[in-house]
Amino acid sequence: MTPDLIFREARREEVPAVLALLRDDMLGQAREGDDTARYLAAFDAMRAEAANHLIVGLSDARVVACYQIVFISGLSLSAARRAQIEGVRVRPDLRGQGIGAALIRDAETRARAAGCTLLQLTTNRSRRDAHRFYDRLGFTASHIGYKKSL
């Protein structure tokens, strides 16, 4: 059963709750820091970018899920506008209740409203459960992603 959810733009005071979600797995524990000021500065920078949004899922006024969505205009694919989603998280004790699927539906709705024709994401190779989740929702593992630390 999916709890009652509200998806909306995150507020600055919710950044610590989002950070807790990002830290709540083996990968996040290793890569997320403790300097809250750094994350608040990043949130402020995101808010200053019109096409960059941090979305939270609320149940009983508590942050239980989140994702970031960035709208990208480009020339490829017949000048397609695309939406990139990042940092998709659901509180561990609430997984398996349809919150993740509702979160992705919200992202799709926002992407369509922004004129996007493609919703894309990357996920770490080790996240096998996430791969099955995205497959089930109609995503296709169509590309190989590369990253380079700077």
Side-chain angles (χ1 to χ4, degrees):
M1 179 179 159
T2 304
D4 290 333
L5 291 172
I6 296 169
F7 291 101
R8 64 158 170 73
E9 294 261 355
R11 297 178 182 145
R12 196 170 198 272
E13 64 269 16
E14 292 166 333
V15 169
V18 170
L19 184 54
L21 290 173
L22 294 174
R23 284 187 183 130
D24 195 38
D25 67 18
M26 292 306 293
L27 294 173
Q29 289 172 12
R31 64 183 175 202
E32 302 304 340
D34 294 324
D35 183 4
T36 304
R38 168 181 264 183
Y39 291 94
L40 291 171
F43 177 79
D44 293 341
M46 290 167 61
R47 292 293 301 251
E49 299 169 6
N52 194 343
H53 307 274
L54 180 62
I55 307 299
V56 290
L58 303 172
S59 178
D60 295 325
R62 294 179 56 213
V63 174
V64 299
C66 65
Y67 71 95
Q68 179 182 356
I69 188 165
V70 181
F71 304 115
I72 306 165
S73 298
L75 297 180
S76 65
L77 297 174
S78 298
R81 184 164 167 84
R82 64 191 72 211
Q84 175 81 25
I85 53 176
E86 299 279 342
V88 175
R89 298 288 191 283
V90 173
R91 208 172 74 192
D93 62 315
L94 296 176
R95 291 180 188 151
Q97 298 183 34
I99 294 172
L103 184 147
I104 296 299
R105 281 192 305 274
D106 184 77
E108 289 176 3
T109 298
R110 291 174 192 273
R112 284 188 184 97
C116 296
T117 59
L118 182 68
L119 182 61
Q120 63 188 26
L121 60 93
T122 60
T123 182
N124 190 284
R125 290 179 193 257
S126 68
R127 295 185 188 278
R128 303 280 185 223
D129 290 342
H131 302 167
R132 286 188 293 276
F133 169 74
Y134 293 123
D135 288 343
R136 192 170 61 249
L137 293 178
F139 286 85
T140 303
S142 61
H143 289 67
I144 297 173
Y146 288 88
K147 295 186 182 215
K148 182 177 182 179
S149 294
L150 303 177

